mmCIF file with all atom_site columns, all heavy atoms in Angstrom:
data_model
loop_
_atom_site.group_PDB
_atom_site.id
_atom_site.type_symbol
_atom_site.label_atom_id
_atom_site.label_alt_id
_atom_site.label_comp_id
_atom_site.label_asym_id
_atom_site.label_entity_id
_atom_site.label_seq_id
_atom_site.pdbx_PDB_ins_code
_atom_site.Cartn_x
_atom_site.Cartn_y
_atom_site.Cartn_z
_atom_site.occupancy
_atom_site.B_iso_or_equiv
_atom_site.pdbx_formal_charge
_atom_site.auth_seq_id
_atom_site.auth_comp_id
_atom_site.auth_asym_id
_atom_site.auth_atom_id
_atom_site.pdbx_PDB_model_num
ATOM 1   N N   . ARG A 1 44  ? -56.749 -27.749 -103.377 1.00 92.00 ? 333 ARG A N   1
ATOM 2   C CA  . ARG A 1 44  ? -55.673 -28.644 -103.429 1.00 92.00 ? 333 ARG A CA  1
ATOM 3   C C   . ARG A 1 44  ? -56.151 -30.055 -103.701 1.00 92.00 ? 333 ARG A C   1
ATOM 4   O O   . ARG A 1 44  ? -55.473 -30.787 -104.521 1.00 92.00 ? 333 ARG A O   1
ATOM 5   C CB  . ARG A 1 44  ? -54.887 -28.586 -102.087 1.00 92.00 ? 333 ARG A CB  1
ATOM 6   C CG  . ARG A 1 44  ? -53.585 -29.307 -102.055 1.00 92.00 ? 333 ARG A CG  1
ATOM 7   C CD  . ARG A 1 44  ? -52.459 -28.323 -102.539 1.00 92.00 ? 333 ARG A CD  1
ATOM 8   N NE  . ARG A 1 44  ? -51.148 -28.917 -102.476 1.00 92.00 ? 333 ARG A NE  1
ATOM 9   C CZ  . ARG A 1 44  ? -50.641 -29.586 -103.485 1.00 92.00 ? 333 ARG A CZ  1
ATOM 10  N NH1 . ARG A 1 44  ? -51.270 -29.640 -104.604 1.00 92.00 ? 333 ARG A NH1 1
ATOM 11  N NH2 . ARG A 1 44  ? -49.386 -30.206 -103.343 1.00 92.00 ? 333 ARG A NH2 1
ATOM 12  N N   . LEU A 1 48  ? -54.942 -32.557 -107.024 1.00 89.00 ? 337 LEU A N   1
ATOM 13  C CA  . LEU A 1 48  ? -54.227 -33.824 -106.933 1.00 89.00 ? 337 LEU A CA  1
ATOM 14  C C   . LEU A 1 48  ? -55.026 -34.864 -107.541 1.00 89.00 ? 337 LEU A C   1
ATOM 15  O O   . LEU A 1 48  ? -56.267 -34.998 -107.354 1.00 89.00 ? 337 LEU A O   1
ATOM 16  C CB  . LEU A 1 48  ? -53.909 -34.162 -105.466 1.00 89.00 ? 337 LEU A CB  1
ATOM 17  C CG  . LEU A 1 48  ? -52.879 -33.307 -104.765 1.00 89.00 ? 337 LEU A CG  1
ATOM 18  C CD1 . LEU A 1 48  ? -52.961 -33.481 -103.247 1.00 89.00 ? 337 LEU A CD1 1
ATOM 19  C CD2 . LEU A 1 48  ? -51.484 -33.509 -105.235 1.00 89.00 ? 337 LEU A CD2 1
ATOM 20  N N   . LEU A 1 53  ? -52.914 -38.895 -104.304 1.00 91.00 ? 342 LEU A N   1
ATOM 21  C CA  . LEU A 1 53  ? -53.458 -38.827 -102.956 1.00 91.00 ? 342 LEU A CA  1
ATOM 22  C C   . LEU A 1 53  ? -53.258 -40.313 -102.315 1.00 91.00 ? 342 LEU A C   1
ATOM 23  O O   . LEU A 1 53  ? -52.836 -40.386 -101.182 1.00 91.00 ? 342 LEU A O   1
ATOM 24  C CB  . LEU A 1 53  ? -54.945 -38.632 -102.920 1.00 91.00 ? 342 LEU A CB  1
ATOM 25  C CG  . LEU A 1 53  ? -55.396 -37.125 -102.991 1.00 91.00 ? 342 LEU A CG  1
ATOM 26  C CD1 . LEU A 1 53  ? -56.824 -36.986 -103.217 1.00 91.00 ? 342 LEU A CD1 1
ATOM 27  C CD2 . LEU A 1 53  ? -55.000 -36.344 -101.760 1.00 91.00 ? 342 LEU A CD2 1
ATOM 28  N N   . MET A 1 55  ? -50.898 -42.372 -103.022 1.00 93.00 ? 344 MET A N   1
ATOM 29  C CA  . MET A 1 55  ? -49.547 -42.501 -102.744 1.00 93.00 ? 344 MET A CA  1
ATOM 30  C C   . MET A 1 55  ? -49.171 -41.809 -101.416 1.00 93.00 ? 344 MET A C   1
ATOM 31  O O   . MET A 1 55  ? -48.396 -42.345 -100.626 1.00 93.00 ? 344 MET A O   1
ATOM 32  C CB  . MET A 1 55  ? -48.707 -41.921 -103.926 1.00 93.00 ? 344 MET A CB  1
ATOM 33  C CG  . MET A 1 55  ? -47.267 -42.439 -104.016 1.00 93.00 ? 344 MET A CG  1
ATOM 34  S SD  . MET A 1 55  ? -46.383 -41.405 -105.323 1.00 93.00 ? 344 MET A SD  1
ATOM 35  C CE  . MET A 1 55  ? -46.267 -39.862 -104.457 1.00 93.00 ? 344 MET A CE  1
ATOM 36  N N   . ARG A 1 56  ? -49.779 -40.635 -101.236 1.00 93.00 ? 345 ARG A N   1
ATOM 37  C CA  . ARG A 1 56  ? -49.469 -39.886 -99.965  1.00 93.00 ? 345 ARG A CA  1
ATOM 38  C C   . ARG A 1 56  ? -50.033 -40.663 -98.733  1.00 93.00 ? 345 ARG A C   1
ATOM 39  O O   . ARG A 1 56  ? -49.389 -40.652 -97.650  1.00 93.00 ? 345 ARG A O   1
ATOM 40  C CB  . ARG A 1 56  ? -50.029 -38.480 -100.022 1.00 93.00 ? 345 ARG A CB  1
ATOM 41  C CG  . ARG A 1 56  ? -49.252 -37.607 -101.075 1.00 93.00 ? 345 ARG A CG  1
ATOM 42  C CD  . ARG A 1 56  ? -49.643 -36.261 -101.133 1.00 93.00 ? 345 ARG A CD  1
ATOM 43  N NE  . ARG A 1 56  ? -49.137 -35.596 -102.262 1.00 93.00 ? 345 ARG A NE  1
ATOM 44  C CZ  . ARG A 1 56  ? -48.694 -34.380 -102.293 1.00 93.00 ? 345 ARG A CZ  1
ATOM 45  N NH1 . ARG A 1 56  ? -48.745 -33.657 -101.301 1.00 93.00 ? 345 ARG A NH1 1
ATOM 46  N NH2 . ARG A 1 56  ? -48.182 -33.872 -103.431 1.00 93.00 ? 345 ARG A NH2 1
ATOM 47  N N   . GLN A 1 57  ? -51.181 -41.310 -98.927  1.00 92.00 ? 346 GLN A N   1
ATOM 48  C CA  . GLN A 1 57  ? -51.718 -42.010 -97.872  1.00 92.00 ? 346 GLN A CA  1
ATOM 49  C C   . GLN A 1 57  ? -50.831 -43.173 -97.540  1.00 92.00 ? 346 GLN A C   1
ATOM 50  O O   . GLN A 1 57  ? -50.516 -43.484 -96.381  1.00 92.00 ? 346 GLN A O   1
ATOM 51  C CB  . GLN A 1 57  ? -53.202 -42.656 -98.282  1.00 92.00 ? 346 GLN A CB  1
ATOM 52  C CG  . GLN A 1 57  ? -53.754 -43.482 -97.260  1.00 92.00 ? 346 GLN A CG  1
ATOM 53  C CD  . GLN A 1 57  ? -54.285 -42.706 -96.075  1.00 92.00 ? 346 GLN A CD  1
ATOM 54  O OE1 . GLN A 1 57  ? -55.080 -41.801 -96.184  1.00 92.00 ? 346 GLN A OE1 1
ATOM 55  N NE2 . GLN A 1 57  ? -53.874 -43.104 -94.829  1.00 92.00 ? 346 GLN A NE2 1
ATOM 56  N N   . GLN A 1 58  ? -50.273 -43.831 -98.526  1.00 92.00 ? 347 GLN A N   1
ATOM 57  C CA  . GLN A 1 58  ? -49.299 -44.966 -98.276  1.00 92.00 ? 347 GLN A CA  1
ATOM 58  C C   . GLN A 1 58  ? -48.023 -44.532 -97.592  1.00 92.00 ? 347 GLN A C   1
ATOM 59  O O   . GLN A 1 58  ? -47.544 -45.223 -96.730  1.00 92.00 ? 347 GLN A O   1
ATOM 60  C CB  . GLN A 1 58  ? -49.022 -45.658 -99.602  1.00 92.00 ? 347 GLN A CB  1
ATOM 61  C CG  . GLN A 1 58  ? -50.122 -46.579 -100.033 1.00 92.00 ? 347 GLN A CG  1
ATOM 62  C CD  . GLN A 1 58  ? -49.929 -47.062 -101.454 1.00 92.00 ? 347 GLN A CD  1
ATOM 63  O OE1 . GLN A 1 58  ? -48.868 -46.907 -102.081 1.00 92.00 ? 347 GLN A OE1 1
ATOM 64  N NE2 . GLN A 1 58  ? -50.947 -47.684 -102.077 1.00 92.00 ? 347 GLN A NE2 1
ATOM 65  N N   . THR A 1 59  ? -47.557 -43.378 -98.060  1.00 92.00 ? 348 THR A N   1
ATOM 66  C CA  . THR A 1 59  ? -46.335 -42.855 -97.413  1.00 92.00 ? 348 THR A CA  1
ATOM 67  C C   . THR A 1 59  ? -46.680 -42.566 -95.869  1.00 92.00 ? 348 THR A C   1
ATOM 68  O O   . THR A 1 59  ? -45.835 -42.894 -94.981  1.00 92.00 ? 348 THR A O   1
ATOM 69  C CB  . THR A 1 59  ? -46.015 -41.467 -98.029  1.00 92.00 ? 348 THR A CB  1
ATOM 70  O OG1 . THR A 1 59  ? -46.018 -41.639 -99.386  1.00 92.00 ? 348 THR A OG1 1
ATOM 71  C CG2 . THR A 1 59  ? -44.643 -40.975 -97.598  1.00 92.00 ? 348 THR A CG2 1
ATOM 72  N N   . ALA A 1 60  ? -47.795 -42.050 -95.612  1.00 92.00 ? 349 ALA A N   1
ATOM 73  C CA  . ALA A 1 60  ? -48.236 -41.768 -94.248  1.00 92.00 ? 349 ALA A CA  1
ATOM 74  C C   . ALA A 1 60  ? -48.304 -43.022 -93.379  1.00 92.00 ? 349 ALA A C   1
ATOM 75  O O   . ALA A 1 60  ? -47.762 -43.149 -92.371  1.00 92.00 ? 349 ALA A O   1
ATOM 76  C CB  . ALA A 1 60  ? -49.546 -40.991 -94.151  1.00 92.00 ? 349 ALA A CB  1
ATOM 77  N N   . ASP A 1 61  ? -48.975 -44.101 -93.946  1.00 90.00 ? 350 ASP A N   1
ATOM 78  C CA  . ASP A 1 61  ? -49.109 -45.345 -93.331  1.00 90.00 ? 350 ASP A CA  1
ATOM 79  C C   . ASP A 1 61  ? -47.776 -45.982 -92.967  1.00 90.00 ? 350 ASP A C   1
ATOM 80  O O   . ASP A 1 61  ? -47.513 -46.476 -91.896  1.00 90.00 ? 350 ASP A O   1
ATOM 81  C CB  . ASP A 1 61  ? -49.965 -46.340 -94.129  1.00 90.00 ? 350 ASP A CB  1
ATOM 82  C CG  . ASP A 1 61  ? -51.417 -45.823 -94.219  1.00 90.00 ? 350 ASP A CG  1
ATOM 83  O OD1 . ASP A 1 61  ? -51.737 -44.983 -93.430  1.00 90.00 ? 350 ASP A OD1 1
ATOM 84  O OD2 . ASP A 1 61  ? -52.198 -46.365 -95.067  1.00 90.00 ? 350 ASP A OD2 1
ATOM 85  N N   . SER A 1 63  ? -44.982 -44.461 -92.644  1.00 90.00 ? 352 SER A N   1
ATOM 86  C CA  . SER A 1 63  ? -44.271 -43.680 -91.627  1.00 90.00 ? 352 SER A CA  1
ATOM 87  C C   . SER A 1 63  ? -44.712 -44.098 -90.244  1.00 90.00 ? 352 SER A C   1
ATOM 88  O O   . SER A 1 63  ? -44.032 -44.231 -89.300  1.00 90.00 ? 352 SER A O   1
ATOM 89  C CB  . SER A 1 63  ? -44.501 -42.249 -91.912  1.00 90.00 ? 352 SER A CB  1
ATOM 90  O OG  . SER A 1 63  ? -44.144 -41.424 -90.747  1.00 90.00 ? 352 SER A OG  1
ATOM 91  N N   . TYR A 1 86  ? -54.741 -43.500 -89.709  1.00 92.00 ? 375 TYR A N   1
ATOM 92  C CA  . TYR A 1 86  ? -54.516 -42.096 -89.874  1.00 92.00 ? 375 TYR A CA  1
ATOM 93  C C   . TYR A 1 86  ? -55.244 -41.682 -91.110  1.00 92.00 ? 375 TYR A C   1
ATOM 94  O O   . TYR A 1 86  ? -55.076 -42.304 -92.136  1.00 92.00 ? 375 TYR A O   1
ATOM 95  C CB  . TYR A 1 86  ? -52.982 -41.804 -89.997  1.00 92.00 ? 375 TYR A CB  1
ATOM 96  C CG  . TYR A 1 86  ? -52.617 -40.444 -90.373  1.00 92.00 ? 375 TYR A CG  1
ATOM 97  C CD1 . TYR A 1 86  ? -52.738 -39.426 -89.440  1.00 92.00 ? 375 TYR A CD1 1
ATOM 98  C CD2 . TYR A 1 86  ? -52.237 -40.243 -91.739  1.00 92.00 ? 375 TYR A CD2 1
ATOM 99  C CE1 . TYR A 1 86  ? -52.330 -38.118 -89.904  1.00 92.00 ? 375 TYR A CE1 1
ATOM 100 C CE2 . TYR A 1 86  ? -51.889 -38.831 -92.077  1.00 92.00 ? 375 TYR A CE2 1
ATOM 101 C CZ  . TYR A 1 86  ? -51.911 -37.875 -91.153  1.00 92.00 ? 375 TYR A CZ  1
ATOM 102 O OH  . TYR A 1 86  ? -51.559 -36.671 -91.531  1.00 92.00 ? 375 TYR A OH  1
ATOM 103 N N   . LEU A 1 88  ? -55.620 -38.820 -94.030  1.00 94.00 ? 377 LEU A N   1
ATOM 104 C CA  . LEU A 1 88  ? -54.795 -37.923 -94.658  1.00 94.00 ? 377 LEU A CA  1
ATOM 105 C C   . LEU A 1 88  ? -55.109 -36.482 -94.525  1.00 94.00 ? 377 LEU A C   1
ATOM 106 O O   . LEU A 1 88  ? -54.324 -35.575 -94.475  1.00 94.00 ? 377 LEU A O   1
ATOM 107 C CB  . LEU A 1 88  ? -54.809 -38.272 -96.161  1.00 94.00 ? 377 LEU A CB  1
ATOM 108 C CG  . LEU A 1 88  ? -53.647 -37.988 -97.033  1.00 94.00 ? 377 LEU A CG  1
ATOM 109 C CD1 . LEU A 1 88  ? -52.354 -38.442 -96.405  1.00 94.00 ? 377 LEU A CD1 1
ATOM 110 C CD2 . LEU A 1 88  ? -53.838 -38.533 -98.391  1.00 94.00 ? 377 LEU A CD2 1
ATOM 111 N N   . ASN A 1 191 ? -49.303 -37.444 -85.571  1.00 95.00 ? 480 ASN A N   1
ATOM 112 C CA  . ASN A 1 191 ? -50.111 -36.997 -86.677  1.00 95.00 ? 480 ASN A CA  1
ATOM 113 C C   . ASN A 1 191 ? -49.471 -35.726 -87.343  1.00 95.00 ? 480 ASN A C   1
ATOM 114 O O   . ASN A 1 191 ? -49.383 -35.595 -88.565  1.00 95.00 ? 480 ASN A O   1
ATOM 115 C CB  . ASN A 1 191 ? -51.528 -36.728 -86.331  1.00 95.00 ? 480 ASN A CB  1
ATOM 116 C CG  . ASN A 1 191 ? -52.307 -37.984 -86.048  1.00 95.00 ? 480 ASN A CG  1
ATOM 117 O OD1 . ASN A 1 191 ? -51.807 -39.091 -86.357  1.00 95.00 ? 480 ASN A OD1 1
ATOM 118 N ND2 . ASN A 1 191 ? -53.554 -37.901 -85.546  1.00 95.00 ? 480 ASN A ND2 1
ATOM 119 N N   . ARG A 1 192 ? -49.126 -34.786 -86.462  1.00 96.00 ? 481 ARG A N   1
ATOM 120 C CA  . ARG A 1 192 ? -48.553 -33.554 -86.969  1.00 96.00 ? 481 ARG A CA  1
ATOM 121 C C   . ARG A 1 192 ? -47.284 -33.736 -87.734  1.00 96.00 ? 481 ARG A C   1
ATOM 122 O O   . ARG A 1 192 ? -47.043 -33.187 -88.782  1.00 96.00 ? 481 ARG A O   1
ATOM 123 C CB  . ARG A 1 192 ? -48.449 -32.552 -85.794  1.00 96.00 ? 481 ARG A CB  1
ATOM 124 C CG  . ARG A 1 192 ? -47.803 -31.228 -86.155  1.00 96.00 ? 481 ARG A CG  1
ATOM 125 C CD  . ARG A 1 192 ? -48.495 -30.464 -87.241  1.00 96.00 ? 481 ARG A CD  1
ATOM 126 N NE  . ARG A 1 192 ? -49.886 -30.238 -86.890  1.00 96.00 ? 481 ARG A NE  1
ATOM 127 C CZ  . ARG A 1 192 ? -50.356 -29.130 -86.163  1.00 96.00 ? 481 ARG A CZ  1
ATOM 128 N NH1 . ARG A 1 192 ? -49.478 -28.298 -85.721  1.00 96.00 ? 481 ARG A NH1 1
ATOM 129 N NH2 . ARG A 1 192 ? -51.670 -29.002 -85.956  1.00 96.00 ? 481 ARG A NH2 1
ATOM 130 N N   . GLN A 1 193 ? -46.396 -34.593 -87.136  1.00 94.00 ? 482 GLN A N   1
ATOM 131 C CA  . GLN A 1 193 ? -45.169 -34.897 -87.718  1.00 94.00 ? 482 GLN A CA  1
ATOM 132 C C   . GLN A 1 193 ? -45.311 -35.412 -89.215  1.00 94.00 ? 482 GLN A C   1
ATOM 133 O O   . GLN A 1 193 ? -44.636 -34.921 -90.090  1.00 94.00 ? 482 GLN A O   1
ATOM 134 C CB  . GLN A 1 193 ? -44.393 -35.955 -86.914  1.00 94.00 ? 482 GLN A CB  1
ATOM 135 C CG  . GLN A 1 193 ? -43.100 -35.517 -86.246  1.00 94.00 ? 482 GLN A CG  1
ATOM 136 C CD  . GLN A 1 193 ? -42.583 -36.590 -85.418  1.00 94.00 ? 482 GLN A CD  1
ATOM 137 O OE1 . GLN A 1 193 ? -42.920 -37.750 -85.596  1.00 94.00 ? 482 GLN A OE1 1
ATOM 138 N NE2 . GLN A 1 193 ? -41.630 -36.256 -84.585  1.00 94.00 ? 482 GLN A NE2 1
ATOM 139 N N   . VAL A 1 194 ? -46.230 -36.335 -89.316  1.00 94.00 ? 483 VAL A N   1
ATOM 140 C CA  . VAL A 1 194 ? -46.429 -36.971 -90.621  1.00 94.00 ? 483 VAL A CA  1
ATOM 141 C C   . VAL A 1 194 ? -47.081 -35.950 -91.488  1.00 94.00 ? 483 VAL A C   1
ATOM 142 O O   . VAL A 1 194 ? -46.651 -35.793 -92.733  1.00 94.00 ? 483 VAL A O   1
ATOM 143 C CB  . VAL A 1 194 ? -47.342 -38.214 -90.439  1.00 94.00 ? 483 VAL A CB  1
ATOM 144 C CG1 . VAL A 1 194 ? -47.779 -38.728 -91.790  1.00 94.00 ? 483 VAL A CG1 1
ATOM 145 C CG2 . VAL A 1 194 ? -46.567 -39.336 -89.684  1.00 94.00 ? 483 VAL A CG2 1
ATOM 146 N N   . MET A 1 195 ? -48.025 -35.157 -91.058  1.00 95.00 ? 484 MET A N   1
ATOM 147 C CA  . MET A 1 195 ? -48.704 -34.194 -91.854  1.00 95.00 ? 484 MET A CA  1
ATOM 148 C C   . MET A 1 195 ? -47.732 -33.253 -92.488  1.00 95.00 ? 484 MET A C   1
ATOM 149 O O   . MET A 1 195 ? -47.776 -32.870 -93.716  1.00 95.00 ? 484 MET A O   1
ATOM 150 C CB  . MET A 1 195 ? -49.729 -33.421 -91.023  1.00 95.00 ? 484 MET A CB  1
ATOM 151 C CG  . MET A 1 195 ? -50.391 -32.261 -91.751  1.00 95.00 ? 484 MET A CG  1
ATOM 152 S SD  . MET A 1 195 ? -51.243 -32.787 -93.183  1.00 95.00 ? 484 MET A SD  1
ATOM 153 C CE  . MET A 1 195 ? -52.803 -33.465 -92.518  1.00 95.00 ? 484 MET A CE  1
ATOM 154 N N   . LYS A 1 196 ? -46.706 -32.804 -91.734  1.00 95.00 ? 485 LYS A N   1
ATOM 155 C CA  . LYS A 1 196 ? -45.802 -31.860 -92.237  1.00 95.00 ? 485 LYS A CA  1
ATOM 156 C C   . LYS A 1 196 ? -44.978 -32.400 -93.408  1.00 95.00 ? 485 LYS A C   1
ATOM 157 O O   . LYS A 1 196 ? -44.477 -31.689 -94.226  1.00 95.00 ? 485 LYS A O   1
ATOM 158 C CB  . LYS A 1 196 ? -44.830 -31.380 -91.101  1.00 95.00 ? 485 LYS A CB  1
ATOM 159 C CG  . LYS A 1 196 ? -45.457 -30.332 -90.231  1.00 95.00 ? 485 LYS A CG  1
ATOM 160 C CD  . LYS A 1 196 ? -44.688 -30.254 -88.890  1.00 95.00 ? 485 LYS A CD  1
ATOM 161 C CE  . LYS A 1 196 ? -44.137 -28.859 -88.659  1.00 95.00 ? 485 LYS A CE  1
ATOM 162 N NZ  . LYS A 1 196 ? -43.418 -28.838 -87.349  1.00 95.00 ? 485 LYS A NZ  1
ATOM 163 N N   . ARG A 1 197 ? -44.827 -33.776 -93.400  1.00 93.00 ? 486 ARG A N   1
ATOM 164 C CA  . ARG A 1 197 ? -44.065 -34.410 -94.425  1.00 93.00 ? 486 ARG A CA  1
ATOM 165 C C   . ARG A 1 197 ? -44.971 -34.583 -95.705  1.00 93.00 ? 486 ARG A C   1
ATOM 166 O O   . ARG A 1 197 ? -44.436 -34.582 -96.816  1.00 93.00 ? 486 ARG A O   1
ATOM 167 C CB  . ARG A 1 197 ? -43.523 -35.699 -94.017  1.00 93.00 ? 486 ARG A CB  1
ATOM 168 C CG  . ARG A 1 197 ? -42.174 -35.534 -93.369  1.00 93.00 ? 486 ARG A CG  1
ATOM 169 C CD  . ARG A 1 197 ? -41.598 -36.892 -93.027  1.00 93.00 ? 486 ARG A CD  1
ATOM 170 N NE  . ARG A 1 197 ? -41.321 -37.028 -91.605  1.00 93.00 ? 486 ARG A NE  1
ATOM 171 C CZ  . ARG A 1 197 ? -41.423 -38.100 -90.886  1.00 93.00 ? 486 ARG A CZ  1
ATOM 172 N NH1 . ARG A 1 197 ? -41.837 -39.157 -91.457  1.00 93.00 ? 486 ARG A NH1 1
ATOM 173 N NH2 . ARG A 1 197 ? -41.152 -38.080 -89.609  1.00 93.00 ? 486 ARG A NH2 1
ATOM 174 N N   . ILE A 1 198 ? -46.309 -34.891 -95.467  1.00 93.00 ? 487 ILE A N   1
ATOM 175 C CA  . ILE A 1 198 ? -47.131 -35.326 -96.559  1.00 93.00 ? 487 ILE A CA  1
ATOM 176 C C   . ILE A 1 198 ? -47.608 -34.032 -97.309  1.00 93.00 ? 487 ILE A C   1
ATOM 177 O O   . ILE A 1 198 ? -47.728 -34.078 -98.538  1.00 93.00 ? 487 ILE A O   1
ATOM 178 C CB  . ILE A 1 198 ? -48.389 -36.059 -96.019  1.00 93.00 ? 487 ILE A CB  1
ATOM 179 C CG1 . ILE A 1 198 ? -47.916 -37.266 -95.168  1.00 93.00 ? 487 ILE A CG1 1
ATOM 180 C CG2 . ILE A 1 198 ? -49.249 -36.483 -97.170  1.00 93.00 ? 487 ILE A CG2 1
ATOM 181 C CD1 . ILE A 1 198 ? -47.198 -38.311 -95.986  1.00 93.00 ? 487 ILE A CD1 1
ATOM 182 N N   . PHE A 1 199 ? -47.960 -32.939 -96.581  1.00 94.00 ? 488 PHE A N   1
ATOM 183 C CA  . PHE A 1 199 ? -48.494 -31.739 -97.225  1.00 94.00 ? 488 PHE A CA  1
ATOM 184 C C   . PHE A 1 199 ? -47.637 -30.528 -96.728  1.00 94.00 ? 488 PHE A C   1
ATOM 185 O O   . PHE A 1 199 ? -48.207 -29.606 -96.164  1.00 94.00 ? 488 PHE A O   1
ATOM 186 C CB  . PHE A 1 199 ? -49.956 -31.534 -96.881  1.00 94.00 ? 488 PHE A CB  1
ATOM 187 C CG  . PHE A 1 199 ? -50.924 -32.365 -97.590  1.00 94.00 ? 488 PHE A CG  1
ATOM 188 C CD1 . PHE A 1 199 ? -51.640 -33.277 -96.896  1.00 94.00 ? 488 PHE A CD1 1
ATOM 189 C CD2 . PHE A 1 199 ? -51.047 -32.271 -98.946  1.00 94.00 ? 488 PHE A CD2 1
ATOM 190 C CE1 . PHE A 1 199 ? -52.615 -34.064 -97.562  1.00 94.00 ? 488 PHE A CE1 1
ATOM 191 C CE2 . PHE A 1 199 ? -51.980 -33.068 -99.644  1.00 94.00 ? 488 PHE A CE2 1
ATOM 192 C CZ  . PHE A 1 199 ? -52.730 -34.002 -98.947  1.00 94.00 ? 488 PHE A CZ  1
ATOM 193 N N   . PRO A 1 200 ? -46.320 -30.525 -97.043  1.00 94.00 ? 489 PRO A N   1
ATOM 194 C CA  . PRO A 1 200 ? -45.506 -29.448 -96.478  1.00 94.00 ? 489 PRO A CA  1
ATOM 195 C C   . PRO A 1 200 ? -45.956 -28.083 -96.984  1.00 94.00 ? 489 PRO A C   1
ATOM 196 O O   . PRO A 1 200 ? -45.969 -27.108 -96.245  1.00 94.00 ? 489 PRO A O   1
ATOM 197 C CB  . PRO A 1 200 ? -44.075 -29.793 -97.002  1.00 94.00 ? 489 PRO A CB  1
ATOM 198 C CG  . PRO A 1 200 ? -44.244 -30.839 -98.010  1.00 94.00 ? 489 PRO A CG  1
ATOM 199 C CD  . PRO A 1 200 ? -45.572 -31.487 -97.824  1.00 94.00 ? 489 PRO A CD  1
ATOM 200 N N   . GLY A 1 201 ? -46.289 -28.032 -98.270  1.00 93.00 ? 490 GLY A N   1
ATOM 201 C CA  . GLY A 1 201 ? -46.612 -26.661 -98.847  1.00 93.00 ? 490 GLY A CA  1
ATOM 202 C C   . GLY A 1 201 ? -47.911 -26.094 -98.285  1.00 93.00 ? 490 GLY A C   1
ATOM 203 O O   . GLY A 1 201 ? -47.914 -25.006 -97.797  1.00 93.00 ? 490 GLY A O   1
#
Side-chain angles (χ1 to χ4, degrees):
Chain A
R333 190 85 177 94
L337 290 166
L342 280 169
M344 200 187 70
R345 290 183 194 218
Q346 178 73 54
Q347 282 169 9
T348 311
D350 290 347
S352 167
Y375 169 78
L377 204 53
N480 287 352
R481 175 58 55 85
Q482 242 175 19
V483 170
M484 174 58 82
K485 282 163 121 179
R486 272 186 237 147
I487 305 294
F488 283 117

